[in-house]
Amino acid sequence: MTGSFFETHVLGIMSHLSDTINESKGTQIIAEKIRCLKAVQEMLRVAKTHVNNALPQISACLRSALEIKELCNEAFISWTAMIGTSSADDIAALIDPTFAIVVQYWDSLTPHSQTKAYDMISELLRTHATAIREVVHTIPSLSSIPVMTKIDSEISNVKQQMAIKHQLQALIQRCRHENSTVVLRALVELEVFLEDHQGFLHETSISERPDPVLSELVRTLLDVSIRYGESNDNIVILGARCLGLLGCLDPTRTEASRGTKELLVLSNFQEAEETIDFVIFFLREVIVKAFLSATNPRAQSFLAYVIQELLKFCGLNGPLTSRNQEKYADSKYLRWVTLPESVRNTLTPFLNSKYVITTAPAQPEVEYPIYRPTMGHGQWLRAFVYDLLRKGHGDNILELFQVFSRIIRTQDTPISIFLLPFAVLNMIVTGLERQQLDVAGELLTVLSHPLPTRDVAAKNGLLQCSQNVFQVLDYLSRWTQEKKKDISMGRISSSRLGRTPCSNDIEIAQAQIQSVESVVSTLPAEIISRRAVECKSYSRALFYWEQHIREQRPKDGKEEGNQNMEPLYERLQQIYTQIDEPDGIEGISSHLHVLNIDQQILEHRKAGRWTAAQSWYELLLSERPRDTEVQLNLLTCLKESGQHDVLLNQIDGFEPASSRSSIALPFACEASWVTGKWNRLEEYLGNISENMTGDFNVGVARALLALARNEKETFAQIVNDVRRTTARSLSVTNTASLQACHNVLLKLHALTEIEAIGVSLDQRLDLLGAFNSDKQFLLGLRRAAMQLSRDFSNNDIASSWLTSAKLARKAGFTHQSFNAVLHASQLGDNSATIEHSRLLWKEGHHRKAIQSLKGAIAANAFQSHAYMQSDQPATISNNGRQQEQNAPKARAHLLLAKWIDGAGQTQSESIVEEYRLAIRWHSRWEKAHYYLGKHYNKLLEHEKAKMTAKRAQTFLSGEMAKLVVENYIRSLAYGAKYIHQTLPRALTLWLELGVDAELPLDSKYGTDEFRTHTAQQRRRMLAAVNAQVKKYSDRLPGFVFYTALSQIVARIVHPNPAVFPLLIEIVAKVVSAHPQQALWTLLAVVKSSSKDRALRGKQCLDRIYEQAKKLSDGKELKAMITHGQKLSDQLLHVCEGDIQGKPSTISLSKDLGFVHKTAPCRLVVPLESTLTVSLPPLADGIEMRKHRAFSKDTVTISAFLDNVLVLNSLQKPRKITIRGSDGHVYALLCKPKDDLRKDQRLMEFNTMINRFLKKDAESSQRRLYIKTYSVTPLNEECGLIEWVDNLKTLREILLNTYRQKNVIINYNELKMMLNEACSSPSKTSIFTDRVISKFPPVFHEWFVDMFPEPGTWFTARLRYTRSCAVMSIVGHVLGLGDRHGENILFEEGNGGTFHVDFNCLFDKGLSFEKPELVPFRLTHNMVDAFGAYGCEGPFRKSCELTLRILRQHEDTLMTILETFLYDPTTDFIGKKKKKGVELAPDTPEGVLDSVRNKVRGLLPTESVPLSVEGYVEELIKQATDPERLAAMYIGWCAFF
């Protein structure tokens, strides 16, 4: 009876007690509140588990009581009672909050309560050990409580066994907890964790593939800062501290975008499930928040009624929340339990409530348009939404909208804002024609009404109304896009099932789409764009203004000379000034005939040419000395160009003097601390106004002055205040992505560095990537703090100045760099000479630079930097004495060697000696060994180019090759920065020397005696190289050789008996070190159709088995190999299995004979992410050996899904699906009868280019990349390709669009016209006027359809433009042809370009019956989709950057290509279809020359190379040349 009573009434009891404790219904005395807490204790004692259905309410009540000092003890005793009566099922959810509460309130508890806390924790560990083990990784630390040291150490020991990454993930999980106490304790521990693991954070963030855990961490911290921004100051401060310790991560490498909670109701509330999902979302995200924040009892009552009715609509009622989960394990219960605990706590009382409401009085008919200038935003919004809700059509709509309408006029605007898009859509698709026109007219009235200029409140109100209209337009666009997809997919699924789709449903849906598009079309793009600019929604403004430009273009498409277009492009340029995109302005400028001065300045500023812009502002300031805008612009130019002294002088001369304290103060503060002018800084801060104290620079300046006065407490307080102010500037808007909150994160990063001065901060600078201006800001701040702390030597400060000098030099700010070098020299750092010499060289004063460097070396200027390497055996000289090491001196010698080497005016012996001196002074320096090897390689290439009879003896004997190999392979022992330059080349030279040593010397080489002697020397040289290879293959970690594994296994059948055993040893070492990844490559050799290759593969396995006997995990390795062989056999059967007929899906086991027992398997799922090695970012020999090349959490194969998709092509490739060990599903394409080794090597080449693109500052800023994927050969005839989802071919996109526009494609007619057009240059106009005119550009419409929200549309289009540019240049350099519409695809998720089918390489297209004469595909559709600027701006700039980077890395690229082309197992060149074509190379040497000429900018018939800009211009001209396009074969579809 008692139990039944409490189960029925506990919610009401707790509601009453909570109201008393929280004073919800009036003030209560403390004694009454304590009485309520004792009642809770007694209820728990009597009812025990019968109140468990109210545990969320009980815990919420007790948590609020714990925060009241007078109630803390009693509330805690009640908490222990709750824990004592909770069942095992409920304990798991209470463990984290319990530990957090104990730690948080320990000092507030009485000794008696502390004893109860200890007993409670001990009892939990004893009776609920299993539950504790499951959540031990998230349990808060008890280290702050001395009496619990033993308990804490036991828990900590378990946590310490976790990898650092897993510890961090556990902290992230705790930070996401709903309980604020748990979050607070998690942040306290996270701060300590981040301080202790700065090395891990640095290595992870700058690695080639930053770990996603960093994105999770920064996203979580940002979300926590927003969630508790108004309610918990401690959490905000701790979150800011953690963000500062994490650092200002480079947003181009680490992305942490907030997942958008977009809700679409495609059925317009006609489908029950979709409607219930909408209601649940509405309750969770809107109504509950409004209910909790409501202060008006009447308004809260209306919300209570709405909650009750909406829960009733969803079928959620009282019994649903009981513990009998089996009874309610349906969709309703699942919806309920997926709601956050805090939301369920709020909703539970309304599951059985009995609110009623009086009937609403009849309302008069509303007259449209509703908007009036005198209306406020809220008044208009509520009136508009209320009228739409009253007129809703449909069964569910009538029920729901009636409920919604009861709260519109009594609540704040968030509810109306949320409902507006859904109500508008309903009226458009179900309303009468008159009602549709009313809605369209209302939207147009708001957007077209002039913005008030004097009434600020009216202006802000109209802007808010406009934002609501934009919200509606976005929703209508997304709804239309998804509805079209829905229709399309409905047809496809129906046809697959053999059923005819319901034509009536399709007709209704199409009519609805037409209604929406009709309403949207009544809103002129020009009006939307203008209002978007006023609302500072610039992506939207661009989106609609470009549509307006399209509408205004002449029908003939010719804009040249059309004066009406000039103003349109000028406005477009103004929009681009507000968008974070560096190339758009320049692109638009190309369409303007004459640039006025303002437009020129815009270009200078956007391109970072600050000095040029400065000159104009100085001139302007002399004419308008009181113009504050000009003053601000001038100060910005001076700051960005590093002219801090000039900036301070400029400020002192400003008129009026008042502007110095407002506009100029932040600039003055920064310039003062950078230049160390502390007296001046005190003057500036002496009389600041109150409104300036919140400025970041002013706050930092005040903190630095406190540090100067040694006022440590004041310093800490000011920094904390600045941190709080900075953290509070985070908002939902500016935390949408890392890019959006970059400036705030930089400030928090800077505050951490000020506090941490004295700790090594060098690594933290790398986190910022290519943001040089931000790095200079941090360096200036560091130097200021270093000077004031007085704990640093002059050399420490000078080192910081030299870092600034280097950054400025690379950014092109020569004056700033010279100034920084001067400061370093004044501080007595003689190594500044090196940087000074670099600057002279950059300025073109080469002779002077060399003299300066030689003089410094001769004067022994670097002696102060010398040190002894006592622990490094490699530095012991021949006489047994330790060698002195001096890194700056080594850098000076290496720089001098490179310069004299490049000048070509010094004998090789002198150059080699200079390189050797660099190694002498820094023997464990990768760079020095690499450049000496590179010099020898240059000599080798020079000799190789000579006529046979004139080649030197050192070349013929293999001595030159030996020197290259020795130095290259030695460099690998000290780092991996040059691994892709050194290892492939060293392997190639070694293996070729091995071949040459077995061959007799050609008779043209002198006498028999000479040839015999040379052959003997070759064998001696090979023996020496073999010894070096053996030595370093033993020393170097396995991942080093893994990077070249495909090259090594390609030469596994080496004829030299002394070489191939070493190859086998290397392969065995790699596989033993990384079996999960490397076995895929080795097993393909074992399964080779070549007997010799298969035999060598088995020899490799035998050697691995031998090595496994000596390993502790040898049995495990053997088992993995055996399992891998079985899996490889099964996958070969899947690839080669015969498929009868044309089925679209088959069974993996029944139709292809796959044995599912081969899974799980410990081999990784063959994906790019799992097979790509991670190289150490900055490493010496010790770090190289310690480095973990692959993640511990690598994804292995758990199971194969049985369903197989068969693609409709000749060889019937089949898509299989694997479930990974992480629970995710991955797809692979099994490709039969195709040698995939060529594709694999090309992916390696593209991956290499991606590395270069990431390392370059400008390229990284633009996120240039080539989309790559994993290719895993299983043998020479079949293999696996990583499946990339959500791709659409260019052909499919264009055909669908033209079909919708009723454009008929007659290929026979087109073929005749194309043949005629290319028959004579005079007939090219047939192509432009008759062919192209039939196919207007429509590709841009795909981006509008796929990315209806303006921000994502702009991002996607930019990604398309840039990725298209990169692949155009790379494809041209590689001679990649056959780029028809089926071989170029686009990613539906982000717009990126994706190329497939690389069979037509190395200008093979030139040998076609109709030779391919265009360098890459750049048809009118592709150009038009770039945007209003066409090929200019982002496309051209990305092309130039890509080509420039290829030129910078020419040697590396040629080395990699050389390994491909000379691979004896793969024919990369192939047979040409057409003989006698001189332009198509048909030998490896010819291919290399062709590629080299393209990289250098040499056109086929020219002898003088073009600049990067000139070559790109020529390529674009060729690609868009109508004459060349008309000559393309019909299947290439040049008219698309």
Side-chain angles (χ1 to χ4, degrees), residues 39 73 96 160 166 181 204 217 219 338 498 506 760 943 959 991 1022 1071 1197 1202 1276 1424 1440 1523:
N73 261 295
D96 280 4
Q160 292 302 320
H166 293 158
T181 308
T204 306
L217 176 58
R219 181 71 264 160
T338 53
I506 294 172
S760 176
E943 287 297 325
E959 185 180 354
L991 297 172
L1022 177 62
V1071 175
I1197 298 168
D1202 198 59
E1276 291 88 346
D1424 182 74
E1440 291 171 355
E1523 192 173 336

Side-chain angles (χ1 to χ4, degrees), residues 1306-1357:
N1306 186 330
Y1307 288 101
N1308 290 328
E1309 180 188 358
L1310 288 169
K1311 188 173 183 180
M1312 287 191 297
M1313 285 195 285
L1314 287 173
N1315 288 337
E1316 188 178 356
C1318 65
S1319 62
S1320 167
S1322 62
K1323 294 185 178 182
T1324 304
S1325 59
I1326 295 173
F1327 176 74
T1328 54
D1329 298 341
R1330 291 173 57 190
V1331 177
I1332 292 293
S1333 61
K1334 288 177 177 288
F1335 303 98
V1338 294
F1339 186 34
H1340 69 275
E1341 295 179 14
W1342 181 77
F1343 288 92
V1344 175
D1345 290 339
M1346 288 303 302
F1347 311 98
E1349 196 278 315
T1352 55
W1353 163 82
F1354 180 67
T1355 303
R1357 192 181 73 177

Side-chain angles (χ1 to χ4, degrees), residues 627-696:
D627 191 325
T628 55
E629 186 179 350
V630 176
Q631 292 175 352
L632 179 63
N633 287 328
L634 177 57
L635 292 180
T636 302
C637 292
L638 292 170
K639 172 186 176 296
E640 293 295 337
S641 57
Q643 301 179 65
H644 298 289
D645 288 303
V646 179
L647 187 150
L648 290 173
N649 293 335
Q650 193 74 55
I651 288 173
D652 290 342
F654 274 171
E655 295 180 27
S658 60
S659 66
R660 297 177 206 165
S661 60
S662 54
I663 295 172
L665 185 58
F667 291 94
C669 289
E670 183 180 347
S672 298
W673 79 55
V674 169
T675 55
K677 296 177 178 175
W678 304 111
N679 293 334
R680 211 159 178 178
L681 183 57
E682 287 203 55
E683 288 177 23
Y684 288 128
L685 296 179
N687 53 357
I688 60 171
S689 59
E690 190 65 30
N691 66 325
M692 291 301 297
T693 54
D695 180 83
F696 180 79

Side-chain angles (χ1 to χ4, degrees), residues 133 136-137 152-162:
R133 275 196 298 274
V136 68
H137 58 287
D152 183 67
S153 64
E154 291 176 9
I155 295 172
S156 297
N157 288 338
V158 177
K159 289 183 180 179
Q160 292 302 320
Q161 294 172 15
M162 298 162 60

